[in-house]
Amino acid sequence: MDRLERLHIFVRVVDCMSFTRAAESLEAPRSTVSTAIKELEVEMGARLLNRTTRAIKVTEEGRFLYQKGQSLLQDYEQLQGAFVANDSRPQGKLRINVPGRLGRRILAPALPDFLDRYPDIDIQMGVTDRAVDLVSEGVDCVIRVGELTDSNLIARPLGRLPLCNCASPAYLARYGRPDTVKDLSSHRIVAFASSMTGRVESWECRKGEQLDSLALPARVTVNTAEGMIACALAGLGMIQVPHYDVRHHLDSGRLVSVLSDTVPPPMPITLLYPHREHMTRRLEVFIDWIIPVLEDKVLGMAE
């Protein structure tokens, strides 16, 4: 194991604050990670990490090496990239994470095209709606829907996701079709509770430039998009979802659009990655590929 590799392992351990998580993200045995840290401490002539059975703590010398090491590793990767032709074949493993419905309905069916174009890239795709810690979990990039809260990640806007209000024909036959926002007082919704916060989302109505939140009654509350759509198909209430999620149901007539002139503004879709000064060639080609896929399948849909 060379010095640069030991430094890379040390930086990942500090990022993860765990030997085990660092080993998992590097796809290396834990013993290899432990040996690399011991060898690096001998080489530096200083204790870099204080280890207990439950946690690790970075020493002053370790913090100094971590800061310098991050910069050195980034400079080395940029230097290495300078000697690689722009048209060289990107290669390696790309770890991505995407929201559940987007991954299952859009990205997974489209991936064969990407893998055919780039036969030397392997994809490790996490499909989850939870907030992923890119650094500690060793993820190259994530796609997130909605307003961002992360300040330490690089954000690449991919577009905006149109929404849709809809209900089943059976529901509308029973409760009537709302023609105005005032009509909503006699209707019910399928409520959505965030799996991350537990907060129940309000029904939002756009009136010109104004966006109002309405507390509409709901007898069923779910925490997944699949559950919400299934309940709407069963006639349990109206739902407010991304248009692409229900496009096939709208086309088949199993769901019907309602109050389309009050739909909230489209939600942003953003790709996030952790490195401020560079990105790998495989991540560059993935971004170039995913944008037209989203434009074709998800973004800018009109009801």
Side-chain angles (χ1 to χ4, degrees), residues 99 101-102 129 143-148 156-165 192 196 199 201-202 204 206 211 225 228 239-245 263-271 294 298-301 303:
R101 294 281 290 182
L102 195 66
D129 294 321
I143 295 176
R144 290 185 181 163
V145 177
E147 299 300 328
L148 299 176
R156 171 74 180 269
L158 299 178
R160 300 188 70 84
L161 186 65
L163 300 174
C164 172
N165 301 329
F192 178 80
M196 290 184 290
R199 183 172 65 91
E201 304 290 343
S202 299
E204 293 187 326
R206 176 171 48 86
L211 189 63
M228 186 162 56
I239 58 173
Q240 193 167 76
V241 292
H243 187 277
Y244 83 90
D245 260 338
V263 174
M267 296 186 298
I269 299 184
T270 310
L271 185 139
L294 294 177
V298 174
L299 305 176
M301 289 182 176
E303 295 186 38

Side-chain angles (χ1 to χ4, degrees), residues 92-96 107 111 114-115 121-126 282 286 289:
K93 179 171 291 185
L94 184 66
R95 298 173 178 86
I96 63 176
L107 192 54
L111 270 182
F114 179 82
L115 297 176
I121 297 179
D122 295 328
I123 295 289
Q124 182 175 315
M125 183 171 70
R282 57 186 175 271
F286 177 76
W289 173 81

Side-chain angles (χ1 to χ4, degrees), residues 133-191:
D133 187 323
L134 279 76
V135 175
S136 68
E137 298 183 46
V139 177
D140 293 301
C141 68
V142 299
I143 295 176
R144 290 185 181 163
V145 177
E147 299 300 328
L148 299 176
T149 58
D150 304 87
S151 59
N152 60 338
L153 298 172
I154 303 303
R156 171 74 180 269
L158 299 178
R160 300 188 70 84
L161 186 65
L163 300 174
C164 172
N165 301 329
C166 57
S168 72
Y171 172 86
L172 296 177
R174 181 175 181 180
Y175 292 96
R177 180 167 183 152
D179 294 319
T180 67
V181 173
K182 291 182 179 180
D183 294 338
L184 291 177
S185 60
S186 60
H187 283 268
R188 63 184 59 180
I189 63 172
V190 177

Side-chain angles (χ1 to χ4, degrees), residues 25-41:
S25 69
L26 293 168
E27 297 186 338
R30 190 185 187 283
S31 59
T32 299
V33 173
S34 181
T35 298
I37 299 302
K38 290 177 182 178
E39 292 177 351
L40 188 61
E41 287 180 327

